[in-house]
Each structure stands twice: as C-alpha cells, then as structure tokens.
C-alpha cells in the first residue's frame, strides 16, 4: 500500500515521519483535502472530530486516484472547554477572547486519526478511527502575555488559538495524555493503525 497523509500541516508531516524511526523504506505523500468543517446541529465534540478525520481521509482518497493501493491518513484536532469547541480564531480579537477563556483553566484537546484503506477480502474501502483526549492546564495569563503572543501571529491558524510546540508551550502548566495528540497527530495510536494494515 502507498501511504498518503491527507494534510499539508508541517507539524503532522514531521510527526508522521517520526513513526518510520528513520527507516528509508517508510515514506508517504501529502495531499490537501478540502472539506466542510461546519459543526452539525446537536453534534457532540467527540463525534465532530471523528467525523472530520474520516472525511479528510475520504477526501484524500479521492485525490489519490492515480495510486494502485492508497492508504490515506486523515486527522483533526479540536480544543474543547466546557463542551464548547474552540476553533481557529476568526481574527485577533477572537484569539484574545479564547486565550482569556483558557487562562488558568484546564481544557481538553481531542485529536482523531482515521485510516482509509482497501480491505483484502472484498476490495472495498474500510476506515478505522482512533480518538485521543488530552487534558491541558494553562497557567494564568496576563493581558500583556496575551497581547504579545497574539502579536507573534502563532495563534492565528491554531485550534484553541495556541500551539503547544511553539511559543504557546510557555503557557502550558500541565498535560495529562498525549503530547503528540495536542500537536496534531497522536503517535502511538497512529502507529497502531498503520501496523494493523502492515504499513510499519
């Protein structure tokens, strides 16, 4: 099978490369899926993030039609506070509002990873999904902290308006769960999916 990452995220690309442990035979291509990320009415955060990961994998499969046997990995990450999804900020003011909400509190980062591949038995495509939840506690942020961080532009394309692997890591007092899941691709669970189909 040919492994395809349905994401152009440099963070996910780097994490997926780690799974190969430096072996030259572990390789993959990237495609850019385009899906509607609107939350459906009444949809719970866990259901939403699972659905988006699977839809990204399916969209990636459609972009891999020239491959004989693609196995497509899709992933999605959301930040949840009190059952409310905190998406990517709409603008600077929205980023600041989100960081004020996260200040001094614990939130949940949910990352779902999905693998769509061709089953040997009937040649139909099957999708397996894993969901990883990590608890993240922020320290108290001052207005100056928030202003400086937003001015760096780092929050502007990140779910929850922060990146744990970058400057935003300065605000993370504690995590319980998967660090790589917070970055965007849970390594243990992704390895499990790939091992199940013989890709590693």
């Amino acid at each position: 099978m040919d492994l395809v990452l349905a994401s152009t995220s440099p963070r996910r690309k780097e994490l997926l490369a780690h799974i190969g442990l430096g072996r030259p035979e572990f390789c993959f291509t990237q495609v850019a899926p385009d899906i509607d990320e609107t939350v459906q009415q009444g949809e719970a955060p866990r259901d939403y993030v699972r659905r988006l990961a699977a839809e990204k994998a399916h969209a990636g499969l459609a972009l891999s039609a020239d491959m004989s046997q693609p196995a497509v990995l899709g992933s999605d990450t959301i930040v949840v506070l009190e059952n409310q999804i905190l998406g990517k900020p709409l603008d600077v003011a929205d980023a600041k509002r989100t960081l004020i909400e996260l200040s001094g509190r614990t939130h949940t980062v949910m990352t779902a990873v999905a693998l769509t591949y061709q089953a040997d038995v009937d040649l139909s495509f099957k999708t397996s999904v894993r969901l990883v939840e990590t608890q993240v506690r922020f320290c108290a942020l001052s207005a100056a902290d928030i202003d400086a961080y937003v001015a760096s532009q780092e929050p502007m394309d990140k779910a929850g308006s922060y990146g744990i692997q970058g400057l935003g890591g300065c605000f993370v007092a504690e995590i319980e769960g998967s660090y790589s899941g917070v970055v965007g691709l849970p390594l243990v669970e992704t390895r499990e999916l790939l091992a199940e189909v013989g890709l590693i």
Side-chain angles (χ1 to χ4, degrees):
M1 281 188 277
D2 297 309
L3 180 59
V4 178
L5 176 61
S7 171
T8 55
S9 162
R11 297 174 295 279
R12 289 195 175 110
K13 178 183 179 181
E14 182 181 5
L15 287 168
L16 183 56
H18 289 340
I19 288 176
L21 300 175
R23 293 188 295 252
E25 66 271 19
F26 182 82
C27 58
F28 58 91
T29 56
Q30 287 179 275
V31 294
D34 183 19
I35 66 166
D36 180 1
E37 299 191 10
T38 305
V39 181
Q40 295 177 356
Q41 187 170 1
E43 189 172 32
R46 290 180 183 89
D47 297 332
Y48 170 72
V49 73
R50 282 193 195 102
R51 177 174 63 81
L52 259 56
E55 287 185 3
K56 286 180 179 180
H58 296 157
L61 182 64
L63 296 170
S64 309
D66 56 333
M67 296 181 179
S68 60
Q69 203 175 7
V72 185
L73 200 65
S75 186
D76 195 73
T77 301
I78 60 172
V79 172
V80 180
L81 182 66
E82 295 182 349
N83 211 40
Q84 294 297 311
I85 297 170
L86 304 178
K88 295 177 183 178
L90 302 173
D91 51 30
V92 165
D94 191 34
K96 290 182 179 181
R97 276 193 300 272
T98 297
L99 291 164
I100 289 168
E101 285 190 63
L102 295 178
S103 174
R105 301 172 74 184
T106 297
H107 61 273
T108 302
V109 177
M110 299 180 185
T111 295
V113 58
L115 184 68
T116 295
Y117 60 97
Q118 201 167 40
D120 288 336
V121 181
D122 57 3
L123 300 182
S124 64
F125 281 91
K126 178 181 177 183
T127 300
S128 297
V129 182
R130 297 277 194 284
L131 174 65
V132 178
E133 298 186 31
T134 303
Q135 303 303 309
V136 180
R137 181 169 64 84
F138 261 32
C139 63
L141 307 182
S142 68
D145 292 333
I146 292 172
D147 288 345
Y149 184 49
V150 173
S152 77
Q153 294 293 307
E154 184 179 273
M156 302 315 295
D157 67 341
K158 308 282 193 301
S161 300
Y162 78 94
I164 194 172
Q165 74 283 357
L167 301 176
C170 294
F171 304 146
V172 177
E174 182 180 9
I175 76 166
E176 182 181 340
S178 169
Y179 172 81
S180 59
V182 178
V183 177
L185 190 72
L187 290 175
V188 170
E189 292 76 12
T190 302
R191 275 181 57 84
E192 289 173 354
L193 284 175
L194 298 182
E196 284 177 6
V197 297
L199 280 165
I200 56 169

